Amino acid sequence: MVQSGSFTKVFQKRGVICVENPKKTEEEVFEIAAEAGVDDFLLEDSILELYCDSQQVLQVKKKVEEQGLMVKSWEVISFPLSQTEVSTEDWDELMAFLNDLEALEDVSEVYHNGKLN
């Protein structure tokens, strides 16, 4: 059985703001992000993900938009504090299990801390 509070020891609430095709250099993005209060960012396939404190996500979103970045979406997520490596063989099984959980009527969100090895 899972102990009370276990979830908060594995996950942390974080704000994530997605910007599509920022049309700025990485240096410009870094400067905008730092000034807006972003903790971390990831640029992948023309999608820029900006991570910040969950309590500050709306303020950070506003500052980013004021600097000319077009926000595609934003949300507060449960971000894993550590990840568990999962073998390629087990990854498909894990994803199928998570999809089954998401399909349940009473389940609104499913988070995991698996990382494909």
Side-chain angles (χ1 to χ4, degrees):
M1 177 173 256
V2 176
Q3 293 179 338
S4 177
S6 295
F7 185 83
T8 59
K9 293 178 183 173
V10 178
F11 294 92
Q12 175 186 38
K13 292 287 185 189
R14 301 283 310 271
V16 62
I17 300 164
C18 294
V19 176
E20 192 170 30
N21 196 12
K23 296 181 181 163
K24 304 246 184 219
T25 67
E26 191 168 330
E27 187 176 307
E28 290 172 321
V29 168
F30 181 76
E31 188 175 311
I32 290 169
E35 289 177 6
V38 171
D39 300 325
D40 198 6
F41 70 92
L42 175 66
L43 179 59
E44 198 172 284
D45 298 328
S46 77
I47 300 291
L48 174 64
E49 292 181 354
L50 304 170
Y51 296 93
C52 64
D53 182 284
S54 63
Q55 300 295 314
Q56 301 296 317
V57 69
L58 291 176
Q59 293 90 328
V60 171
K61 175 186 171 286
K62 182 179 177 183
K63 289 178 184 177
V64 164
E65 289 174 329
E66 288 171 354
Q67 293 297 316
L69 296 179
M70 299 297 292
V71 173
K72 179 181 176 184
S73 65
W74 66 273
E75 64 182 323
V76 174
I77 63 168
S78 291
F79 192 82
L81 295 173
S82 64
Q83 293 185 306
T84 301
E85 290 194 5
V86 179
S87 68
T88 305
E89 299 82 38
D90 292 335
W91 187 257
D92 290 337
E93 188 175 334
L94 174 62
M95 291 299 108
F97 173 70
L98 295 175
N99 287 333
D100 288 345
L101 285 176
E102 288 175 338
L104 295 173
E105 186 175 315
D106 294 339
V107 175
S108 59
E109 296 288 337
V110 175
Y111 298 100
H112 72 91
N113 64 338
K115 177 180 179 182
L116 182 59
N117 186 1

